[in-house]
Every structure is written in structure tokens, then in C-alpha cells.
Amino acid sequence: MQEDRFTREQLEDRSTLLRRSFYSRPAIEVARDCLGKIVVHGETAGRIVEVEAYLGIDDLAAHASRGLTDRTRVLFGPPGHAYVYFIYGMHECLNFTAEKTGTAGSVLIRALEPVCGIATMRSRRPKARRMEDLASGPGKLTMALGITRALNGGDLVKGPLQVRKLKRDDEFAIKVTPRVGIKHCADWPLRFLIEGSRFVSGIH
DNA sequence: CAATAGATCATCT
DNA sequence: GATGATCTATTGC
């Protein structure tokens, strides 16, 4: 079985938890800065290698473009919360809310590099044969980390789902492309990924 | 390799 | 009643 790349102690250091101010900025900035950060849920954790920014009501590809509804309430709420939605009758997708309260804007987490609890991730994703396939897509990573709609609206600064930075240096180049799988605003350059990572979704 | 179909349901028209 | 911020297996070069 594969050895985990980081220990629990490295991920539980108090100084590494991202604060509210990290999220309380324009969604594009938050998206770029999410690359290289660590999503932690229970015993599993993964390094963010691919994200997309979704903007406010002017971004027709964003759920928030429909205005305030039952589903989008979290998007218009305070920053630093989890927006988890169900899609295609099959999958759940994880977002972080950004911007100030009242303004929609979020970051879709599209791919993780597994760093902790890899055995658990494998058991949750029995169809994934290679490490690279464990969390290399929005639906895959929620399954690998055990993230469901029960976490929708949860506080990332306090709750069971957390986002952390690493203490050591983590240098990488950022690649920018259009977003994947959308019809509207299909040419907006709002997808960010770590160049050269083997853990990103689809085609680099 | 690339293209496509099937799975399956919350949300909004 | 149609659609969708997807994944997987299968088919066809």
C-alpha cells in the first residue's frame, strides 16, 4: 500500500489553518491562491492542484447567476464556507465561498493530489487503479475525501472540513485555461492548475 | 488514442 | 419536463 506523503502532525499545526481573510477577496484571487493548499477532512487530505473561479450574477456559467435561491443561498453568504452541490444525479462538487457577504463568488475545487489517508481514499474509490485517478476531478475528490451535501454551508474556518497551508516552501508555475464542462462564458480564462502536476483532471 | 452513451436526481422553467 | 461546474465503460479507429 502506498505511503502517505505527509504526517497528521504537519496538518494539525495551529498556524497553518487559513483564516477568514483568505477567502474574503475576489474569487479569482482566492482561486489562484488555493493552488498548493491542503484540504483536510477526517483522516484524508489532498493538495489542491486544479481550481476554477465562478463569479457573481454576471457569470452565466455560475449557479449564482440565477440570483438568490434555496440552492445559492450559501454563495451569497459569508466567505470561507463550503458550497457542496449535487450534479448529474450522481456526483457532488466542492466549492469555497469567496467575496464579502452579499456578493456571490466561489472557487470550484477540481483536483487534489492525495497526501494523507490514501488507504481510505482507495477504499472509497475502488474503481481508481492509479494514485493519479483518486481525486483528479470534482466528483472524484469529493468521493475520495468523503465530502457530501451534509457539509453544505459548513464553516471552513471552524468545521470538520478545513483548508491549510504548508509550512515548507511549495514553488510551482500556474497555468490558466478556460473552464471545463460549461456552455456559457466558455472562453473566460478562469481555470487555474499547477503546471506539470500528474494529478489534474483530463487534459492539461 | 477519441467519441459516445448510460447512470440518475436536485433544481429551476 | 429538461438540464447539468461528471465519471466510467464501451465502442470504434
Side-chain angles (χ1 to χ4, degrees):
Chain A
M1 198 53 77
Q2 183 84 31
E3 192 93 18
D4 287 4
R5 282 191 51 186
F6 298 94
T7 63
R8 293 294 315 175
E9 291 87 307
Q10 285 177 282
L11 296 176
E12 286 168 0
D13 188 306
R14 211 153 175 271
S15 66
T16 62
L17 185 65
L18 296 184
R19 297 146 49 87
R20 189 83 55 210
S21 56
F22 175 86
Y23 304 98
S24 187
R25 295 181 293 150
I28 294 178
E29 284 181 29
V30 179
R32 288 186 79 99
D33 289 348
C34 277
L35 292 176
K37 302 300 189 290
I38 309 294
V39 181
V40 186
H41 185 232
E43 62 184 287
T44 55
R47 174 174 173 253
I48 299 174
V49 297
E50 176 181 345
V51 298
E52 286 175 358
Y54 283 85
L55 311 181
I57 54 176
D58 296 327
D59 179 3
L60 293 183
H63 292 168
S65 68
R66 305 289 168 188
L68 182 61
T69 68
D70 278 346
R71 180 167 71 163
T72 61
R73 183 156 292 119
V74 177
L75 290 172
F76 288 92
H81 288 248
Y83 170 53
V84 185
Y85 68 91
F86 190 61
I87 190 70
Y88 298 127
M90 180 96 30
H91 302 289
E92 277 149 310
C93 295
L94 171 66
N95 293 245
F96 303 154
T97 60
E99 312 276 353
K100 61 182 189 279
T101 302
T103 304
S106 66
V107 179
L108 171 68
I109 310 304
R110 286 196 55 89
L112 299 176
E113 172 182 348
V115 298
C116 221
I118 290 169
T120 301
M121 292 194 205
R122 282 194 185 282
S123 70
R124 290 179 178 143
R125 297 242 329 117
K127 288 173 183 169
R129 299 207 160 276
R130 310 175 306 153
M131 269 272 288
E132 291 89 328
D133 300 324
L134 275 182
S136 57
K140 297 177 187 176
L141 71 90
T142 52
M143 181 144 293
L145 293 209
I147 293 168
T148 71
R149 281 162 287 174
L151 291 169
N152 186 43
D155 191 339
L156 298 171
V157 178
K158 294 174 183 169
L161 182 63
Q162 301 180 334
V163 190
R164 296 177 172 275
K165 60 186 177 187
L166 291 174
K167 295 184 83 170
R168 59 175 178 76
D169 281 346
D170 190 11
E171 297 263 335
F172 48 79
I174 297 176
K175 186 172 178 176
V176 185
T177 80
R179 294 173 292 185
V180 174
I182 53 170
K183 288 221 168 83
H184 300 98
C185 311
D187 57 343
W188 293 13
L190 294 179
R191 175 174 176 246
F192 305 94
L193 28 78
I194 291 183
E195 195 156 55
S197 171
R198 299 146 45 217
F199 300 91
V200 300
S201 72
I203 298 165
H204 320 166

